[in-house]
Amino acid sequence: MIKCIRCSHVHAITKSGIVRGKQRYYCKDCNIHFTLPGEAAVEVRQQKKHMATIVDIAKALNISKSTVSRALHEHSDINPQTRAAVLEMARQLDYQPNLLAKSLVKSKSNTIGIIVPEFLTYFFPTIIMGAQQVAEQAGYNVIICQSQESFKTEVANASVLLANRVDGVLISMTRETKNFEHFKAFERHGIPVVFFNRICDEMDTSKVLVNDYEGALKAVEHLIENGYRNIAHIGGPPALRITHNRLKGYRDALEKHGLPFKKELVVHCNLSKKDAIHCAEKLLNGKRRPDAVFCVNDPVAIQLMLAAKKMKIKIPSEMGIVGFSNDPISEVIEPALTTVQQPVADIGRSAMHILLDAIKEGDAYSPVLQSLETTLIIRGSSSRK
Amino acid sequence: MIKCIRCSHVHAITKSGIVRGKQRYYCKDCNIHFTLPGEAAVEVRQQKKHMATIVDIAKALNISKSTVSRALHEHSDINPQTRAAVLEMARQLDYQPNLLAKSLVKSKSNTIGIIVPEFLTYFFPTIIMGAQQVAEQAGYNVIICQSQESFKTEVANASVLLANRVDGVLISMTRETKNFEHFKAFERHGIPVVFFNRICDEMDTSKVLVNDYEGALKAVEHLIENGYRNIAHIGGPPALRITHNRLKGYRDALEKHGLPFKKELVVHCNLSKKDAIHCAEKLLNGKRRPDAVFCVNDPVAIQLMLAAKKMKIKIPSEMGIVGFSNDPISEVIEPALTTVQQPVADIGRSAMHILLDAIKEGDAYSPVLQSLETTLIIRGSSSRK
DNA sequence: ATGAAAGCGCTAACAT
DNA sequence: ATGTTAGCGCTTTCAT
């Protein structure tokens, strides 16, 4: 039974709510509220069982919590016996360090935030996997946020990461991001940021991307070499730099080979499946149907291929198609899709390495721009030689 | 120049390390170490710029931090003018609440952990997406861990989540998990756990899965109805319950239609691409080649189909194939793959709903077992009628 | 080798 | 309506 802490009686005690997970009591006699002192106390319906803390260990062993802390951290100034005893008691009490508290003290959360527009196609998951590998090795956790291609969500994501005091952030922007205040907030607070794939030109931070221009150039030249002359391009959203670079590669390849650039052969796709289908149909139903298409990425190329097949257009004889990224589907579809391969997992690994460096070096750090190379993988969808 | 806080001299001062992000100084005259008081003080190379706290706001406004806290939380007892002033000052100082501190006080991190074996195929990312949607709406963050099908990594994941004091955990186990101590630790600490897809029978917690048995049964019956008689099965790793249930569906379908169950027609695949290819070849090269195969999932079915194609086996006339999950590839491959569709995103949503309920209800909560229904999607790979 | 005490940023009971 | 105070669990100086 509960005794009043003042009058020590057990009658006249009622429960009066829960405070910090502990049952609060009220003594009608003394007219006071109180919670029970001492260890976690109450067995009352409380959602969290008490988790052992270093204080619990200290009490159990009759030593100070500093000593416990030292024992737990292989500090040099610690008696091996004390250390052993602490470790044993920690085990007995099922002690789990509270990283929240540690982070608070150290002003360092050992957590990295990642913001990606989506992770349903294989591209971003693979990058994240690469990044996570590297982070894990360095003892960092990762919080993954999806902006779902929505600017508003992206802003919210950034604020969550900031509030959780991540030590650094990896970002690939949405297709609609034009304002960068939410990213600059990281900078203002000294939290390093590395952009990848969908980078932000306005910010003076490290960036990792692939040589989109070169990849596009190679892809389109390959089409030209295979005798295609009326080559169209399904590009990405205008706001993204990859869109720009790949478009430029496309244009330059045409020019280099003396082919005219025709505006009506370029359409822009927002990268959703729906819009990809729409763009594909637009191109295929146009008055002068192209004999080849270079697509901004594989998912788009695949929708195009499906649409073309539905219209009984023969690939590659009547139409050549090249994609970008080497999505697993591109090997499986028939004919297999020619594509520009990017070192996807490396993008993630590379970005994380750069970020960890930035964290380590602090202000001494100066931004890096890393560009990874692409390889053209030639498959059935484009080779008619 | 830095003045000694005791003698006020500027000579004889040297730097002596950095303490909590602040430069520490040493005065040789006074023989003392000190850091500069006042706001973040030092402009020294420190990685983190000082982030404004409620105390900074309070000082700037000459009010107490409680008042600031209240103003920031739309507490009722607050003068609208004070509130406005606080909000404005927060904006000016670029204040960002420190959720670590808040979590520490509230013993609640508003974070949910998710452990999945991988997220490269579309299955787990889609589940995570569904789960995240629900979590976000409820104001929860999500930390995603990949165990990479490694027991050791899974144990480490669990410990990270525990240390970060997540409020609840969603788990799909690795194929090699047989010891569940790391999961039980969550229970011991009152952190609710919900398993999905790859569930743990030994634990008395909520579970979400699809009706694997029913799905498998329908799939195999469909093959039988299409005249296939020598039906093989590529199953999953023996440790998983989905393997069991789908195998049972396969057996029962055979039995129901008076077909013999032949042990040599069942092979178990660990679900890696490599092993899938290996299993496919084993089956196709066996002395008595089956005329149909029911596969434990689509990625495996797809490898089988590719292998069969390579051997010029005609699908579906010479061999029928059915998969499980409706991976996006299954629509695209030719012939398109017949598959048992699961409501993938719903699994995630459902699991998260259950978890949030468990968190809310605390000890009052009792485990739920939710089973979602499947649909057979009939495509070219199995229909020869 | 150990302990005492301050403080990380915040919330909330209690007093005013 | 606002201030005071204690405390969440931990690290780290300083003193012993």
Side-chain angles (χ1 to χ4, degrees):
Chain A
M1 283 292 86
I2 310 297
K3 287 188 200 171
C4 170
I5 51 168
R6 185 169 302 167
C7 66
S8 288
H9 291 164
V10 295
H11 64 276
I13 299 286
T14 58
K15 295 187 178 177
S16 58
I18 292 195
V19 178
R20 293 197 188 154
K22 292 184 192 165
Q23 184 62 53
R24 185 163 165 250
Y25 298 97
Y26 176 62
C27 174
K28 286 179 196 162
D29 283 353
C30 312
N31 190 25
I32 59 164
H33 293 270
F34 60 94
T35 60
L36 254 30
E39 31 73 273
V42 252
E43 281 304 86
V44 206
R45 291 214 166 277
Q46 45 175 99
Q47 40 264 67
K48 304 258 178 255
K49 273 120 192 148
H50 176 73
M51 278 189 136
T53 70
I54 52 170
V55 174
D56 296 319
I57 301 179
K59 277 186 189 154
L61 257 34
N62 229 324
I63 56 178
S64 80
K65 62 177 177 174
S66 332
T67 305
V68 175
S69 175
R70 280 188 279 253
L72 257 17
H73 289 83
E74 334 213 344
H75 192 93
S76 52
D77 279 358
I78 186 81
N79 184 322
Q81 286 167 29
T82 316
R83 189 170 132 70
V86 167
L87 259 34
E88 169 57 18
M89 185 54 73
R91 209 191 48 69
Q92 276 184 36
L93 296 182
D94 201 5
Y95 169 75
Q96 296 285 347
N98 185 329
L99 254 42
L100 294 174
K102 176 170 177 172
S103 300
L104 186 59
V105 169
K106 309 259 271 188
S107 297
K108 185 155 195 330
S109 62
N110 265 281
T111 302
I112 302 292
I114 302 185
I115 305 180
V116 292
E118 48 93 9
F119 55 61
L120 290 185
T121 56
Y122 108 110
F123 187 72
F124 287 109
T126 308
I127 290 182
I128 292 171
M129 214 197 53
Q132 243 177 356
Q133 277 173 3
V134 174
E136 206 167 287
Q137 269 180 338
Y140 280 85
N141 280 122
V142 164
I143 296 187
I144 300 163
C145 301
Q146 280 184 97
S147 58
Q148 326 249 44
E149 295 281 14
S150 144
F151 174 73
K152 214 178 124 204
T153 307
E154 191 180 67
V155 172
N157 292 155
S159 138
V160 163
L161 295 181
L162 208 46
N164 280 287
R165 295 298 188 270
V166 291
D167 297 332
V169 189
L170 251 39
I171 303 176
S172 204
M173 306 189 300
T174 79
R175 60 179 177 237
E176 59 183 39
T177 303
K178 274 156 206 141
N179 175 315
F180 310 105
E181 264 315 302
H182 55 308
F183 297 149
K184 289 183 180 155
F186 290 119
E187 282 198 317
R188 282 202 302 275
H189 295 296
I191 299 174
V193 170
V194 174
F195 285 89
F196 63 94
N197 187 250
R198 305 211 192 155
I199 66 177
C200 173
D201 285 320
E202 271 199 33
M203 288 188 57
D204 183 32
T205 66
S206 291
K207 289 152 197 171
V208 175
L209 26 69
V210 299
N211 197 332
D212 290 300
Y213 171 78
E214 189 80 17
L217 191 83
K218 282 187 285 195
V220 177
E221 284 200 274
H222 159 75
L223 285 170
I224 297 172
E225 281 160 17
N226 273 267
Y228 298 103
R229 286 296 171 267
N230 196 27
I231 303 171
H233 177 45
I234 302 184
L240 298 184
R241 187 160 143 177
I242 54 164
T243 302
H244 246 241
N245 291 154
R246 295 180 192 175
L247 177 60
K248 185 144 194 320
Y250 162 78
R251 287 187 75 143
D252 285 6
L254 294 182
E255 191 178 334
K256 187 169 163 191
H257 292 263
L259 294 176
F261 170 79
K262 296 172 204 148
K263 236 172 47 190
E264 67 274 19
L265 285 183
V266 174
V267 294
H268 284 278
C269 171
N270 72 13
L271 303 183
S272 72
K273 181 171 168 183
K274 199 173 147 195
D275 197 42
I277 294 173
H278 173 244
C279 288
E281 285 170 352
K282 191 167 150 194
L283 220 47
L284 298 179
N285 292 324
K287 43 186 179 295
R288 210 173 129 222
R289 185 193 285 162
D291 64 355
V293 185
F294 166 55
C295 300
V296 67
N297 69 14
D298 280 3
V300 169
I302 284 156
Q303 291 311 317
L304 173 67
M305 199 183 275
L306 295 177
K309 279 179 168 181
K310 210 181 273 171
M311 295 171 67
K312 308 283 180 209
I313 298 171
K314 293 207 178 66
I315 301 168
S317 58
E318 291 171 28
M319 177 173 282
I321 300 181
V322 179
F324 210 111
S325 289
N326 196 24
D327 190 290
I329 298 187
S330 60
E331 294 196 73
V332 166
I333 200 168
E334 283 181 57
L337 180 66
T338 296
T339 188
V340 180
Q341 178 178 43
Q342 323 185 39
V344 186
D346 284 341
I347 297 176
R349 280 191 277 265
S350 200
M352 186 60 82
H353 274 305
I354 293 174
L355 183 62
L356 294 180
D357 282 350
I359 292 172
K360 206 184 305 164
E361 300 187 15
D363 281 1
Y365 178 81
S366 55
V368 164
L369 195 143
Q370 177 151 6
S371 177
L372 303 174
E373 288 310 313
T374 59
T375 322
L376 182 67
I377 300 187
I378 298 172
R379 301 204 182 97
S381 70
S382 66
S383 2
R384 55 181 186 189
K385 281 212 168 159
Chain B
M1 285 290 84
I2 311 297
K3 286 188 200 173
C4 170
I5 52 167
R6 185 170 302 167
C7 66
S8 290
H9 292 165
V10 295
H11 64 275
I13 299 287
T14 58
K15 295 186 178 178
S16 58
I18 292 194
V19 178
R20 293 199 187 152
K22 291 184 193 168
Q23 184 62 54
R24 184 164 165 251
Y25 299 97
Y26 176 62
C27 175
K28 288 178 196 162
D29 283 354
C30 311
N31 191 25
I32 58 164
H33 295 270
F34 60 94
T35 60
L36 255 29
E39 30 75 271
V42 252
E43 281 305 83
V44 207
R45 291 210 168 285
Q46 47 174 100
Q47 38 267 63
K48 304 259 178 253
K49 273 118 192 153
H50 175 73
M51 278 190 141
T53 70
I54 52 170
V55 174
D56 296 318
I57 300 179
K59 275 185 189 156
L61 258 33
N62 231 323
I63 57 178
S64 82
K65 62 176 178 174
S66 336
T67 306
V68 174
S69 176
R70 280 187 279 252
L72 257 18
H73 289 83
E74 335 213 343
H75 192 93
S76 52
D77 279 357
I78 186 81
N79 184 322
Q81 286 166 27
T82 316
R83 188 170 134 70
V86 167
L87 259 33
E88 169 57 18
M89 185 54 73
R91 209 191 48 70
Q92 276 183 36
L93 296 181
D94 201 4
Y95 169 76
Q96 297 285 347
N98 186 329
L99 252 44
L100 296 174
K102 177 171 175 171
S103 301
L104 186 59
V105 168
K106 308 261 272 189
S107 296
K108 183 154 196 333
S109 62
N110 264 280
T111 302
I112 302 293
I114 303 186
I115 304 180
V116 293
E118 47 93 8
F119 55 61
L120 290 185
T121 56
Y122 109 110
F123 187 72
F124 288 110
T126 308
I127 290 182
I128 292 172
M129 213 197 53
Q132 244 178 356
Q133 278 173 2
V134 174
E136 206 167 286
Q137 271 181 337
Y140 280 83
N141 280 121
V142 163
I143 295 187
I144 300 163
C145 301
Q146 279 185 97
S147 58
Q148 326 248 44
E149 296 281 15
S150 145
F151 174 73
K152 216 179 122 203
T153 306
E154 191 180 67
V155 173
N157 291 157
S159 139
V160 162
L161 295 181
L162 207 46
N164 280 286
R165 297 296 189 269
V166 292
D167 296 332
V169 189
L170 252 38
I171 302 177
S172 202
M173 306 190 301
T174 80
R175 60 177 176 237
E176 58 183 40
T177 303
K178 273 155 208 143
N179 175 315
F180 310 104
E181 264 314 302
H182 55 309
F183 297 148
K184 289 183 180 154
F186 290 119
E187 282 198 317
R188 281 200 302 275
H189 296 296
I191 298 175
V193 171
V194 174
F195 285 90
F196 63 94
N197 188 249
R198 305 211 192 155
I199 67 177
C200 173
D201 285 320
E202 273 200 32
M203 288 187 58
D204 182 33
T205 66
S206 291
K207 290 153 196 171
V208 175
L209 27 70
V210 299
N211 197 332
D212 289 301
Y213 171 77
E214 188 79 19
L217 190 84
K218 281 188 284 194
V220 177
E221 284 201 273
H222 159 76
L223 285 170
I224 297 172
E225 281 161 16
N226 274 264
Y228 299 102
R229 285 294 172 268
N230 196 26
I231 303 171
H233 176 47
I234 302 184
L240 298 183
R241 187 160 142 177
I242 54 164
T243 301
H244 245 242
N245 292 154
R246 293 181 194 175
L247 176 60
K248 184 141 196 320
Y250 161 79
R251 287 187 75 144
D252 285 5
L254 293 181
E255 190 177 335
K256 187 169 164 191
H257 293 263
L259 294 175
F261 169 79
K262 296 172 202 149
K263 233 169 53 187
E264 67 275 19
L265 284 184
V266 174
V267 295
H268 285 278
C269 171
N270 73 12
L271 303 183
S272 72
K273 181 171 167 182
K274 199 174 146 196
D275 197 42
I277 294 173
H278 173 244
C279 289
E281 285 170 352
K282 190 167 150 194
L283 220 47
L284 297 180
N285 293 323
K287 44 186 178 293
R288 208 172 133 222
R289 180 144 80 206
D291 64 355
V293 186
F294 165 56
C295 301
V296 67
N297 68 15
D298 280 3
V300 169
I302 284 157
Q303 291 310 319
L304 172 67
M305 200 184 274
L306 294 177
K309 278 179 170 182
K310 211 181 273 173
M311 294 171 65
K312 308 281 179 210
I313 299 171
K314 293 207 179 65
I315 301 167
S317 58
E318 293 171 28
M319 175 173 284
I321 300 181
V322 179
F324 209 111
S325 288
N326 196 23
D327 190 291
I329 298 187
S330 59
E331 293 197 74
V332 166
I333 199 168
E334 283 181 55
L337 180 67
T338 296
T339 188
V340 180
Q341 177 178 44
Q342 325 185 37
V344 186
D346 284 341
I347 297 175
R349 279 190 278 265
S350 197
M352 185 60 82
H353 274 305
I354 293 175
L355 184 60
L356 294 180
D357 282 351
I359 292 172
K360 205 183 306 165
E361 300 186 16
D363 280 1
Y365 178 81
S366 56
V368 163
L369 195 142
Q370 177 151 6
S371 177
L372 303 174
E373 289 309 313
T374 58
T375 323
L376 182 66
I377 301 188
I378 299 172
R379 300 205 182 96
S381 70
S382 66
S383 359
R384 56 180 184 187
K385 278 214 169 156

